[in-house]
Amino acid sequence: MSYIESKSAPRREERLGTCIEFGGAIGEIHEQFCGGCLRNRRRSFSQGTICQLLPATAILTSLKDTVVIVHGSIGCGGAVHSQGASVRLGQFNSGDKNPKGALWLSTNLNERDVVRGGEQKLKEAIVEADKRYRPEAIIVLSTCVPGIIGDDIDGIANELSGQISAAILPIHCEGFKTKIMATAYDAIFHSFLRNLVNGKDETEYGIYNNELAVEQERLRRSRLVNLLNVSSMTGPDQNELIRLLNKLGLEVNMLPCDAHPDAFRLAPFAALSVGVCPTHDDYFMKHLHEKYGVPFVGGQMPIGIGNTGIWLRQVASFFGLEAAAEKLIETETKELWDALAPIVKNLKGKTAMLSAGEMRTFATAVLLQELGMDILAVRPYHYDEFGAVEVEKLEKVDPGIRVNVATAQPFEAVNLIKRAKPDIYIGHNSDNIWAAKCGVSILPIYGAGYIYCGYAGAFDIAKRINRHLKKHLL
Ligand code: SF4
Protein backbone atom coordinates (compact mmCIF):
# COMPACT_ATOMS: atom_id res chain seq x y z
CA MET A 1 0.00 0.00 0.00
CA SER A 2 1.34 3.44 1.03
CA TYR A 3 -0.23 5.33 -1.83
CA ILE A 4 -1.43 8.03 0.56
CA GLU A 5 1.43 10.46 0.00
CA SER A 6 0.36 10.89 -3.64
CA LYS A 7 -2.34 13.41 -4.53
CA SER A 8 -4.53 10.76 -6.11
CA ALA A 9 -5.09 7.01 -5.87
CA PRO A 10 -3.55 4.76 -8.54
CA ARG A 11 -5.68 3.12 -11.21
CA ARG A 12 -6.78 -0.42 -10.50
CA GLU A 13 -5.15 -1.41 -13.76
CA GLU A 14 -1.80 -0.76 -12.05
CA ARG A 15 -2.63 -1.56 -8.43
CA LEU A 16 -4.40 -4.87 -8.97
CA GLY A 17 -3.85 -5.79 -12.62
CA THR A 18 -7.64 -5.94 -12.95
CA CYS A 19 -8.94 -7.61 -16.10
CA ILE A 20 -12.12 -6.58 -17.96
CA GLU A 21 -12.28 -9.22 -20.64
CA PHE A 22 -12.52 -13.00 -20.42
CA GLY A 23 -14.69 -15.69 -21.92
CA GLY A 24 -14.35 -19.31 -20.86
CA ALA A 25 -14.98 -21.82 -18.09
CA ILE A 26 -14.74 -20.92 -14.42
CA GLY A 27 -12.11 -23.57 -13.96
CA GLU A 28 -9.74 -21.53 -16.14
CA ILE A 29 -10.15 -17.96 -14.98
CA HIS A 30 -8.19 -17.90 -11.74
CA GLU A 31 -5.44 -20.11 -13.12
CA GLN A 32 -5.00 -17.76 -16.07
CA PHE A 33 -5.12 -14.67 -13.85
CA CYS A 34 -2.41 -16.03 -11.55
CA GLY A 35 -0.38 -17.13 -14.55
CA GLY A 36 -0.38 -13.54 -15.77
CA CYS A 37 -2.37 -14.14 -18.98
CA LEU A 38 -5.39 -12.17 -17.74
CA ARG A 39 -3.67 -9.39 -15.83
CA ASN A 40 -4.70 -6.06 -17.25
CA ARG A 41 -6.43 -7.75 -20.16
CA ARG A 42 -8.32 -5.11 -22.12
CA ARG A 43 -11.13 -5.49 -24.59
CA SER A 44 -10.66 -5.62 -28.32
CA PHE A 45 -14.43 -5.11 -28.69
CA SER A 46 -16.43 -2.78 -26.48
CA GLN A 47 -19.93 -1.39 -26.75
CA GLY A 48 -19.41 1.05 -23.91
CA THR A 49 -18.41 1.11 -20.29
CA ILE A 50 -19.33 2.78 -17.00
CA CYS A 51 -17.55 5.92 -15.84
CA GLN A 52 -16.15 5.81 -12.30
CA LEU A 53 -18.25 8.85 -11.45
CA LEU A 54 -21.32 6.61 -11.20
CA PRO A 55 -20.20 4.52 -8.18
CA ALA A 56 -18.51 7.61 -6.70
CA THR A 57 -21.71 9.69 -6.62
CA ALA A 58 -23.68 6.69 -5.30
CA ILE A 59 -21.49 6.66 -2.19
CA LEU A 60 -20.82 10.36 -1.76
CA THR A 61 -24.37 11.66 -2.07
CA SER A 62 -25.42 9.26 0.70
CA LEU A 63 -23.15 10.95 3.26
CA LYS A 64 -24.80 12.98 5.99
CA ASP A 65 -24.19 16.70 6.50
CA THR A 66 -22.17 16.84 3.29
CA VAL A 67 -22.43 18.68 -0.05
CA VAL A 68 -21.00 17.16 -3.22
CA ILE A 69 -19.73 19.56 -5.90
CA VAL A 70 -19.36 17.81 -9.24
CA HIS A 71 -16.61 19.90 -10.84
CA GLY A 72 -17.14 19.45 -14.55
CA SER A 73 -19.60 19.82 -17.36
CA ILE A 74 -23.27 19.63 -16.40
CA GLY A 75 -23.83 16.13 -17.82
CA CYS A 76 -21.26 14.56 -15.47
CA GLY A 77 -23.75 14.73 -12.61
CA GLY A 78 -26.57 13.19 -14.62
CA ALA A 79 -26.26 9.79 -12.96
CA VAL A 80 -27.12 11.31 -9.57
CA HIS A 81 -30.76 11.62 -10.66
CA SER A 82 -31.00 7.84 -11.03
CA GLN A 83 -29.60 7.38 -7.52
CA GLY A 84 -32.10 9.68 -5.79
CA ALA A 85 -34.43 6.93 -4.55
CA SER A 86 -31.58 4.88 -3.05
CA VAL A 87 -30.14 7.94 -1.32
CA ARG A 88 -33.48 8.90 0.21
CA LEU A 89 -34.16 5.34 1.34
CA GLY A 90 -30.66 5.13 2.83
CA GLN A 91 -31.23 8.35 4.75
CA PHE A 92 -34.62 7.12 5.93
CA ASN A 93 -33.26 3.74 7.04
CA SER A 94 -30.45 5.38 8.99
CA GLY A 95 -32.87 7.37 11.10
CA ASP A 96 -33.74 10.50 9.08
CA LYS A 97 -37.53 10.52 9.03
CA ASN A 98 -37.61 13.49 6.66
CA PRO A 99 -34.95 12.58 4.06
CA LYS A 100 -33.88 15.39 1.74
CA GLY A 101 -32.17 13.25 -0.88
CA ALA A 102 -28.86 13.92 -2.59
CA LEU A 103 -27.35 17.35 -1.94
CA TRP A 104 -25.13 18.13 -4.91
CA LEU A 105 -24.09 21.05 -7.09
CA SER A 106 -22.31 21.30 -10.43
CA THR A 107 -19.78 23.92 -11.52
CA ASN A 108 -21.29 23.53 -15.00
CA LEU A 109 -18.05 24.08 -16.93
CA ASN A 110 -18.46 25.23 -20.54
CA GLU A 111 -16.25 25.83 -23.59
CA ARG A 112 -15.08 29.18 -22.23
CA ASP A 113 -13.94 27.54 -18.98
CA VAL A 114 -12.00 24.94 -20.94
CA VAL A 115 -9.91 27.80 -22.36
CA ARG A 116 -9.76 30.05 -19.28
CA GLY A 117 -9.80 27.40 -16.52
CA GLY A 118 -12.52 26.38 -14.10
CA GLU A 119 -10.84 27.26 -10.79
CA GLN A 120 -12.72 30.50 -10.17
CA LYS A 121 -16.07 28.76 -10.66
CA LEU A 122 -15.02 26.04 -8.25
CA LYS A 123 -13.96 28.54 -5.57
CA GLU A 124 -17.29 30.33 -5.87
CA ALA A 125 -19.19 27.03 -5.67
CA ILE A 126 -17.35 25.96 -2.50
CA VAL A 127 -17.98 29.30 -0.78
CA GLU A 128 -21.63 29.26 -1.87
CA ALA A 129 -22.13 25.65 -0.67
CA ASP A 130 -20.65 26.54 2.70
CA LYS A 131 -22.78 29.67 3.06
CA ARG A 132 -26.00 28.05 1.90
CA TYR A 133 -25.86 24.66 3.67
CA ARG A 134 -23.23 25.02 6.45
CA PRO A 135 -22.22 21.35 5.96
CA GLU A 136 -19.61 19.42 7.91
CA ALA A 137 -17.81 18.52 4.68
CA ILE A 138 -17.72 19.71 1.06
CA ILE A 139 -16.60 17.15 -1.48
CA VAL A 140 -15.06 18.34 -4.74
CA LEU A 141 -15.46 15.57 -7.28
CA SER A 142 -13.15 16.31 -10.19
CA THR A 143 -14.19 15.00 -13.63
CA CYS A 144 -12.60 14.76 -17.08
CA VAL A 145 -12.59 18.45 -18.06
CA PRO A 146 -10.71 19.82 -15.01
CA GLY A 147 -8.41 16.79 -15.24
CA ILE A 148 -7.53 17.69 -18.83
CA ILE A 149 -7.19 21.45 -18.38
CA GLY A 150 -5.27 21.01 -15.12
CA ASP A 151 -7.44 22.75 -12.49
CA ASP A 152 -5.62 22.52 -9.16
CA ILE A 153 -8.41 21.21 -6.92
CA ASP A 154 -6.01 20.36 -4.08
CA GLY A 155 -4.55 23.89 -4.17
CA ILE A 156 -8.05 25.39 -4.00
CA ALA A 157 -8.98 23.12 -1.09
CA ASN A 158 -5.85 24.26 0.77
CA GLU A 159 -6.46 27.91 -0.02
CA LEU A 160 -10.09 27.88 1.17
CA SER A 161 -9.75 25.50 4.11
CA GLY A 162 -8.93 28.31 6.56
CA GLN A 163 -11.71 30.52 5.25
CA ILE A 164 -14.74 28.25 5.58
CA SER A 165 -15.91 26.00 8.39
CA ALA A 166 -16.48 22.81 6.34
CA ALA A 167 -13.73 20.27 5.68
CA ILE A 168 -12.94 20.27 1.93
CA LEU A 169 -12.29 16.88 0.37
CA PRO A 170 -10.89 16.96 -3.19
CA ILE A 171 -11.38 13.69 -5.08
CA HIS A 172 -9.66 12.93 -8.38
CA CYS A 173 -12.28 10.93 -10.24
CA GLU A 174 -11.76 11.67 -13.93
CA GLY A 175 -13.65 9.20 -16.09
CA PHE A 176 -10.95 8.95 -18.74
CA LYS A 177 -8.38 7.86 -16.17
CA THR A 178 -9.50 4.25 -15.89
CA LYS A 179 -11.67 1.58 -17.44
CA ILE A 180 -12.19 -0.04 -14.04
CA MET A 181 -15.02 1.87 -12.39
CA ALA A 182 -14.15 0.34 -9.00
CA THR A 183 -11.15 2.73 -9.01
CA ALA A 184 -13.71 5.24 -7.70
CA TYR A 185 -13.73 3.50 -4.29
CA ASP A 186 -9.97 4.01 -3.95
CA ALA A 187 -10.26 7.64 -5.10
CA ILE A 188 -12.86 8.37 -2.41
CA PHE A 189 -11.05 6.61 0.42
CA HIS A 190 -7.77 8.22 -0.66
CA SER A 191 -9.16 11.70 -0.13
CA PHE A 192 -10.95 10.79 3.11
CA LEU A 193 -7.79 9.26 4.52
CA ARG A 194 -5.74 12.33 3.57
CA ASN A 195 -8.22 15.03 4.54
CA LEU A 196 -10.66 13.72 7.15
CA VAL A 197 -9.17 10.78 9.06
CA ASN A 198 -6.48 12.38 11.21
CA GLY A 199 -6.12 10.17 14.28
CA LYS A 200 -6.85 13.12 16.59
CA ASP A 201 -8.79 11.87 19.56
CA GLU A 202 -11.33 14.64 19.77
CA THR A 203 -14.59 13.17 18.48
CA GLU A 204 -15.39 11.02 21.51
CA TYR A 205 -12.96 11.23 24.43
CA GLY A 206 -12.91 15.00 24.30
CA ILE A 207 -16.51 15.29 25.46
CA TYR A 208 -16.05 13.16 28.59
CA ASN A 209 -14.86 14.98 31.65
CA ASN A 210 -14.54 12.31 34.30
CA GLU A 211 -12.47 9.16 34.58
CA LEU A 212 -15.41 6.75 34.74
CA ALA A 213 -16.90 8.10 31.51
CA VAL A 214 -13.52 7.86 29.77
CA GLU A 215 -13.12 4.29 31.00
CA GLN A 216 -16.59 3.37 29.72
CA GLU A 217 -15.73 4.86 26.35
CA ARG A 218 -12.46 2.91 26.26
CA LEU A 219 -14.40 -0.28 26.95
CA ARG A 220 -16.88 0.58 24.19
CA ARG A 221 -14.06 1.09 21.73
CA SER A 222 -12.47 -2.24 22.62
CA ARG A 223 -15.65 -3.81 21.17
CA LEU A 224 -16.16 -1.31 18.37
CA VAL A 225 -15.75 -2.42 14.74
CA ASN A 226 -15.62 -0.30 11.60
CA LEU A 227 -18.14 -1.97 9.32
CA LEU A 228 -17.33 -1.07 5.71
CA ASN A 229 -20.69 -1.03 3.98
CA VAL A 230 -21.03 -0.62 0.21
CA SER A 231 -23.39 1.45 -1.91
CA SER A 232 -25.15 -1.70 -3.09
CA MET A 233 -26.04 -2.60 0.49
CA THR A 234 -29.56 -1.68 1.50
CA GLY A 235 -30.82 -0.45 4.88
CA PRO A 236 -32.17 -3.94 5.69
CA ASP A 237 -28.74 -5.40 4.72
CA GLN A 238 -27.02 -3.06 7.15
CA ASN A 239 -29.52 -3.88 9.90
CA GLU A 240 -28.96 -7.61 9.38
CA LEU A 241 -25.16 -7.33 9.69
CA ILE A 242 -25.45 -5.05 12.72
CA ARG A 243 -27.89 -7.53 14.26
CA LEU A 244 -25.39 -10.39 13.85
CA LEU A 245 -22.45 -8.36 15.17
CA ASN A 246 -24.52 -7.12 18.13
CA LYS A 247 -25.30 -10.74 18.98
CA LEU A 248 -21.56 -11.22 19.44
CA GLY A 249 -21.56 -8.24 21.79
CA LEU A 250 -19.89 -5.89 19.28
CA GLU A 251 -20.75 -2.28 18.44
CA VAL A 252 -20.62 -0.89 14.94
CA ASN A 253 -19.16 2.25 13.39
CA MET A 254 -20.67 2.06 9.89
CA LEU A 255 -18.98 3.75 6.95
CA PRO A 256 -18.71 5.04 4.23
CA CYS A 257 -22.32 4.95 2.94
CA ASP A 258 -24.97 6.92 4.86
CA ALA A 259 -22.27 7.92 7.36
CA HIS A 260 -21.58 11.27 8.98
CA PRO A 261 -17.99 12.57 8.51
CA ASP A 262 -17.44 11.88 12.24
CA ALA A 263 -17.62 8.14 11.50
CA PHE A 264 -14.37 8.53 9.53
CA ARG A 265 -12.77 10.50 12.36
CA LEU A 266 -13.70 7.74 14.79
CA ALA A 267 -12.38 4.94 12.53
CA PRO A 268 -8.74 4.96 13.82
CA PHE A 269 -10.01 4.23 17.35
CA ALA A 270 -12.01 1.08 16.54
CA ALA A 271 -10.68 -2.32 17.61
CA LEU A 272 -11.10 -3.87 14.16
CA SER A 273 -12.17 -3.01 10.61
CA VAL A 274 -14.57 -5.50 9.07
CA GLY A 275 -14.86 -5.67 5.30
CA VAL A 276 -18.04 -6.54 3.46
CA CYS A 277 -16.60 -6.62 -0.06
CA PRO A 278 -12.88 -6.46 -0.92
CA THR A 279 -13.64 -4.70 -4.21
CA HIS A 280 -14.92 -1.78 -2.14
CA ASP A 281 -12.95 -1.74 1.05
CA ASP A 282 -9.42 -3.16 0.80
CA TYR A 283 -7.83 0.25 0.07
CA PHE A 284 -9.31 1.87 3.18
CA MET A 285 -8.76 -1.01 5.58
CA LYS A 286 -5.14 -1.58 4.53
CA HIS A 287 -4.24 2.11 4.79
CA LEU A 288 -6.04 2.46 8.13
CA HIS A 289 -3.98 -0.46 9.37
CA GLU A 290 -0.77 0.92 7.95
CA LYS A 291 -1.26 4.44 9.33
CA TYR A 292 -3.12 3.86 12.60
CA GLY A 293 -2.55 0.18 13.33
CA VAL A 294 -6.23 -0.83 13.11
CA PRO A 295 -6.32 -4.56 12.27
CA PHE A 296 -8.79 -5.76 9.68
CA VAL A 297 -10.60 -8.84 8.40
CA GLY A 298 -12.18 -9.06 4.98
CA GLY A 299 -12.11 -10.74 1.62
CA GLN A 300 -15.49 -12.36 2.16
CA MET A 301 -18.91 -11.05 1.23
CA PRO A 302 -21.65 -12.04 3.73
CA ILE A 303 -24.07 -13.05 0.99
CA GLY A 304 -24.96 -16.75 1.19
CA ILE A 305 -25.40 -19.14 4.09
CA GLY A 306 -21.87 -20.55 4.25
CA ASN A 307 -20.35 -17.16 3.41
CA THR A 308 -22.15 -15.46 6.29
CA GLY A 309 -20.79 -18.12 8.64
CA ILE A 310 -17.23 -17.62 7.35
CA TRP A 311 -17.60 -13.84 7.72
CA LEU A 312 -18.83 -14.16 11.31
CA ARG A 313 -16.04 -16.58 12.21
CA GLN A 314 -13.41 -14.16 10.86
CA VAL A 315 -14.72 -11.38 13.11
CA ALA A 316 -15.23 -13.63 16.13
CA SER A 317 -11.73 -15.13 16.00
CA PHE A 318 -10.20 -11.65 16.42
CA PHE A 319 -12.10 -11.10 19.68
CA GLY A 320 -11.78 -14.69 20.96
CA LEU A 321 -15.51 -15.19 20.52
CA GLU A 322 -15.32 -18.44 18.54
CA ALA A 323 -17.69 -20.40 20.79
CA ALA A 324 -20.32 -17.65 20.74
CA ALA A 325 -20.04 -17.42 16.95
CA GLU A 326 -20.49 -21.17 16.48
CA LYS A 327 -23.59 -21.11 18.66
CA LEU A 328 -25.00 -18.15 16.76
CA ILE A 329 -24.30 -19.75 13.37
CA GLU A 330 -25.86 -23.03 14.45
CA THR A 331 -29.05 -21.35 15.71
CA GLU A 332 -29.40 -19.06 12.70
CA THR A 333 -28.74 -21.71 10.05
CA LYS A 334 -31.10 -24.21 11.65
CA GLU A 335 -33.89 -21.65 11.72
CA LEU A 336 -33.09 -20.63 8.14
CA TRP A 337 -33.04 -24.16 6.69
CA ASP A 338 -36.34 -24.93 8.44
CA ALA A 339 -37.88 -21.87 6.79
CA LEU A 340 -36.30 -22.71 3.43
CA ALA A 341 -37.50 -26.32 3.32
CA PRO A 342 -40.69 -25.72 1.28
CA ILE A 343 -38.82 -23.35 -1.07
CA VAL A 344 -35.68 -25.33 -1.91
CA LYS A 345 -37.61 -28.28 -3.27
CA ASN A 346 -39.01 -25.93 -5.95
CA LEU A 347 -35.60 -24.40 -6.68
CA LYS A 348 -33.68 -27.65 -7.01
CA GLY A 349 -32.32 -28.05 -10.53
CA LYS A 350 -33.52 -24.65 -11.73
CA THR A 351 -30.92 -22.77 -13.74
CA ALA A 352 -29.56 -19.27 -13.29
CA MET A 353 -27.26 -16.71 -14.85
CA LEU A 354 -25.91 -13.73 -12.89
CA SER A 355 -24.17 -10.42 -13.49
CA ALA A 356 -22.96 -7.52 -11.30
CA GLY A 357 -19.74 -6.49 -9.59
CA GLU A 358 -17.21 -9.29 -9.17
CA MET A 359 -17.81 -10.26 -5.53
CA ARG A 360 -21.58 -9.82 -5.56
CA THR A 361 -21.99 -11.96 -8.69
CA PHE A 362 -19.86 -14.80 -7.35
CA ALA A 363 -21.23 -14.71 -3.78
CA THR A 364 -24.85 -14.72 -4.96
CA ALA A 365 -24.06 -17.60 -7.32
CA VAL A 366 -22.59 -19.54 -4.38
CA LEU A 367 -25.83 -18.98 -2.45
CA LEU A 368 -27.89 -20.27 -5.39
CA GLN A 369 -25.75 -23.41 -5.47
CA GLU A 370 -26.44 -23.86 -1.75
CA LEU A 371 -30.16 -23.68 -2.60
CA GLY A 372 -29.75 -26.49 -5.11
CA MET A 373 -29.83 -24.39 -8.28
CA ASP A 374 -27.50 -24.86 -11.26
CA ILE A 375 -25.40 -21.89 -12.33
CA LEU A 376 -25.02 -21.74 -16.09
CA ALA A 377 -23.02 -18.54 -16.44
CA VAL A 378 -21.71 -15.55 -14.47
CA ARG A 379 -20.84 -12.09 -15.83
CA PRO A 380 -18.72 -10.12 -13.32
CA TYR A 381 -17.86 -6.53 -14.31
CA HIS A 382 -14.17 -7.26 -13.80
CA TYR A 383 -11.86 -9.89 -12.38
CA ASP A 384 -8.90 -9.56 -10.00
CA GLU A 385 -7.23 -11.45 -7.16
CA PHE A 386 -10.23 -10.97 -4.82
CA GLY A 387 -12.51 -13.17 -6.91
CA ALA A 388 -10.54 -16.38 -6.29
CA VAL A 389 -12.13 -17.10 -2.91
CA GLU A 390 -15.60 -17.46 -4.47
CA VAL A 391 -14.46 -18.89 -7.81
CA GLU A 392 -12.96 -21.87 -5.96
CA LYS A 393 -16.33 -22.61 -4.31
CA LEU A 394 -18.26 -22.38 -7.59
CA GLU A 395 -15.68 -24.43 -9.47
CA LYS A 396 -15.83 -27.22 -6.89
CA VAL A 397 -19.55 -27.73 -7.65
CA ASP A 398 -19.33 -27.19 -11.42
CA PRO A 399 -16.06 -26.41 -13.25
CA GLY A 400 -18.02 -25.90 -16.47
CA ILE A 401 -19.82 -22.68 -15.45
CA ARG A 402 -19.27 -20.10 -18.21
CA VAL A 403 -17.65 -16.80 -17.25
CA ASN A 404 -17.97 -13.62 -19.28
CA VAL A 405 -16.00 -10.77 -17.68
CA ALA A 406 -17.67 -7.65 -19.01
CA THR A 407 -18.76 -4.22 -17.82
CA ALA A 408 -22.03 -3.61 -19.70
CA GLN A 409 -21.45 -5.21 -23.18
CA PRO A 410 -25.09 -6.13 -23.95
CA PHE A 411 -24.12 -7.85 -27.21
CA GLU A 412 -22.14 -10.46 -25.26
CA ALA A 413 -24.89 -10.72 -22.63
CA VAL A 414 -27.61 -11.48 -25.18
CA ASN A 415 -25.45 -14.05 -26.99
CA LEU A 416 -24.78 -15.85 -23.75
CA ILE A 417 -28.41 -15.67 -22.55
CA LYS A 418 -29.63 -17.14 -25.86
CA ARG A 419 -27.14 -19.98 -25.67
CA ALA A 420 -27.54 -20.73 -21.95
CA LYS A 421 -31.35 -20.25 -21.74
CA PRO A 422 -31.44 -19.87 -17.93
CA ASP A 423 -34.68 -20.11 -15.93
CA ILE A 424 -33.78 -16.83 -14.23
CA TYR A 425 -31.31 -13.97 -14.79
CA ILE A 426 -30.17 -12.08 -11.69
CA GLY A 427 -28.40 -8.80 -12.35
CA HIS A 428 -28.57 -5.04 -12.14
CA ASN A 429 -31.36 -3.39 -14.12
CA SER A 430 -29.03 -2.33 -16.94
CA ASP A 431 -28.33 -6.01 -17.64
CA ASN A 432 -31.69 -7.44 -16.64
CA ILE A 433 -33.44 -5.53 -19.39
CA TRP A 434 -31.62 -7.61 -22.03
CA ALA A 435 -32.58 -10.86 -20.36
CA ALA A 436 -36.20 -9.71 -20.11
CA LYS A 437 -36.16 -8.87 -23.84
CA CYS A 438 -35.02 -12.46 -24.42
CA GLY A 439 -38.04 -13.72 -22.48
CA VAL A 440 -36.11 -14.78 -19.38
CA SER A 441 -37.45 -14.20 -15.87
CA ILE A 442 -35.37 -11.60 -14.00
CA LEU A 443 -34.59 -10.60 -10.44
CA PRO A 444 -32.65 -7.48 -9.35
CA ILE A 445 -29.34 -8.41 -7.71
CA TYR A 446 -29.70 -5.14 -5.83
CA GLY A 447 -32.82 -3.12 -5.08
CA ALA A 448 -32.99 -0.39 -2.45
CA GLY A 449 -35.85 -1.86 -0.39
CA TYR A 450 -34.77 -5.52 -0.38
CA ILE A 451 -32.37 -7.57 1.71
CA TYR A 452 -29.50 -9.67 0.37
CA CYS A 453 -26.93 -10.02 3.18
CA GLY A 454 -26.73 -12.45 6.06
CA TYR A 455 -29.23 -15.16 6.92
CA ALA A 456 -32.28 -12.96 6.44
CA GLY A 457 -30.94 -12.02 3.00
CA ALA A 458 -30.47 -15.68 2.00
CA PHE A 459 -34.09 -16.39 2.88
CA ASP A 460 -35.38 -13.35 1.05
CA ILE A 461 -33.44 -14.09 -2.15
CA ALA A 462 -34.69 -17.70 -2.15
CA LYS A 463 -38.26 -16.59 -1.52
CA ARG A 464 -38.22 -14.04 -4.33
CA ILE A 465 -36.62 -16.42 -6.87
CA ASN A 466 -39.25 -18.99 -6.00
CA ARG A 467 -42.05 -16.47 -6.51
CA HIS A 468 -40.64 -15.30 -9.86
CA LEU A 469 -40.11 -18.81 -11.17
CA LYS A 470 -43.54 -19.98 -10.10
CA LYS A 471 -45.13 -17.11 -12.01
CA HIS A 472 -42.90 -17.45 -15.04
CA LEU A 473 -43.04 -21.23 -15.44
CA LEU A 474 -46.82 -21.52 -15.09
S1 SF4 B 1 -16.40 10.09 -18.61
FE1 SF4 B 1 -15.67 12.13 -17.96
S2 SF4 B 1 -17.04 13.57 -18.98
FE2 SF4 B 1 -18.07 11.56 -19.03
S3 SF4 B 1 -19.37 11.50 -17.18
FE3 SF4 B 1 -17.39 10.56 -16.64
S4 SF4 B 1 -16.19 12.24 -15.77
FE4 SF4 B 1 -17.88 13.19 -16.92
Side-chain angles (χ1 to χ4, degrees), residues 51 53 76 143-144 175:
C51 160
L53 217 61
C76 290
T143 64
C144 287

Side-chain angles (χ1 to χ4, degrees), residues 305-366:
I305 304 164
N307 279 350
T308 303
I310 296 170
W311 184 80
L312 278 171
R313 286 186 185 103
Q314 283 180 335
V315 180
S317 72
F318 175 82
F319 291 98
L321 296 167
E322 289 91 340
E326 290 309 324
K327 205 166 160 217
L328 175 64
I329 293 165
E330 192 189 329
T331 313
E332 296 275 336
T333 48
K334 184 182 176 319
E335 205 175 302
L336 175 63
W337 279 116
D338 286 348
L340 283 173
I343 295 174
V344 285
K345 61 178 194 285
N346 297 334
L347 300 188
K348 196 163 175 44
K350 296 289 188 307
T351 58
M353 187 169 158
L354 302 96
S355 73
E358 173 186 40
M359 297 308 290
R360 195 177 191 94
T361 305
F362 292 146
T364 311
V366 169

Side-chain angles (χ1 to χ4, degrees), residues 51-53 73 75-77 142-145 173-176:
C51 160
Q52 60 168 336
L53 217 61
S73 54
C76 290
S142 185
T143 64
C144 287
V145 170
C173 202
E174 302 84 6
F176 67 77

Side-chain angles (χ1 to χ4, degrees), residues 60-307:
L60 296 171
T61 53
S62 78
L63 294 174
K64 293 188 174 78
D65 207 1
T66 302
V67 178
V68 178
I69 299 176
V70 178
H71 184 40
S73 54
I74 190 78
C76 290
V80 183
H81 297 295
S82 67
Q83 295 158 351
S86 302
V87 172
R88 287 172 84 89
L89 254 175
Q91 291 170 343
F92 186 80
N93 284 325
S94 60
D96 184 351
K97 296 305 167 211
N98 186 21
K100 294 177 188 65
L103 194 49
W104 70 284
L105 310 171
S106 168
T107 49
N108 188 15
L109 298 184
N110 56 28
E111 289 87 344
R112 194 160 176 263
D113 302 316
V114 171
V115 178
R116 302 180 61 160
E119 293 185 354
Q120 188 53 33
K121 270 192 171 175
L122 178 59
K123 283 183 197 171
E124 287 167 13
I126 293 172
V127 172
E128 181 62 25
D130 186 58
K131 196 167 89 183
R132 210 187 279 187
Y133 303 107
R134 295 287 176 223
E136 180 71 23
I138 295 174
I139 291 163
V140 175
L141 196 54
S142 185
T143 64
C144 287
V145 170
I148 292 167
I149 63 178
D151 280 357
D152 181 10
I153 60 167
D154 299 276
I156 291 171
N158 277 339
E159 185 187 327
L160 293 182
S161 63
Q163 299 172 33
I164 65 170
S165 56
I168 307 174
L169 313 177
I171 300 180
H172 295 266
C173 202
E174 302 84 6
F176 67 77
K177 184 175 161 181
T178 175
K179 288 192 170 72
I180 318 296
M181 64 169 162
T183 300
Y185 309 132
D186 303 347
I188 290 170
F189 283 135
H190 188 86
S191 177
F192 280 50
L193 283 157
R194 276 170 66 88
N195 301 295
L196 199 56
V197 181
N198 56 23
K200 283 190 195 149
D201 198 357
E202 60 196 3
T203 50
E204 294 291 337
Y205 281 112
I207 61 172
Y208 296 103
N209 57 6
N210 68 67
E211 272 182 30
L212 179 64
V214 169
E215 197 47 46
Q216 281 171 339
E217 178 58 16
R218 188 167 289 133
L219 193 64
R220 185 178 86 87
R221 289 182 183 187
S222 71
R223 294 270 168 154
L224 181 70
V225 298
N226 297 318
L227 181 61
L228 277 290
N229 63 359
V230 305
S231 53
S232 59
M233 261 174 76
T234 64
D237 281 334
Q238 297 181 14
N239 294 341
E240 168 70 354
L241 298 186
I242 292 172
R243 178 184 77 84
L244 293 170
L245 293 173
N246 286 168
K247 288 215 167 193
L248 292 176
L250 303 175
E251 282 195 38
V252 170
N253 177 39
M254 180 92 77
L255 72 166
C257 299
D258 305 317
H260 187 276
D262 280 347
F264 292 87
R265 297 188 178 112
L266 181 61
F269 306 105
L272 179 73
S273 294
V274 179
V276 162
C277 167
T279 295
H280 287 77
D281 49 43
D282 86 301
Y283 195 87
F284 184 76
M285 295 201 302
K286 285 175 183 163
H287 277 108
L288 201 68
H289 177 239
E290 194 179 277
K291 221 170 157 193
Y292 301 106
V294 183
F296 63 91
V297 291
Q300 187 73 46
M301 204 161 189
I303 289 183
I305 304 164
N307 279 350

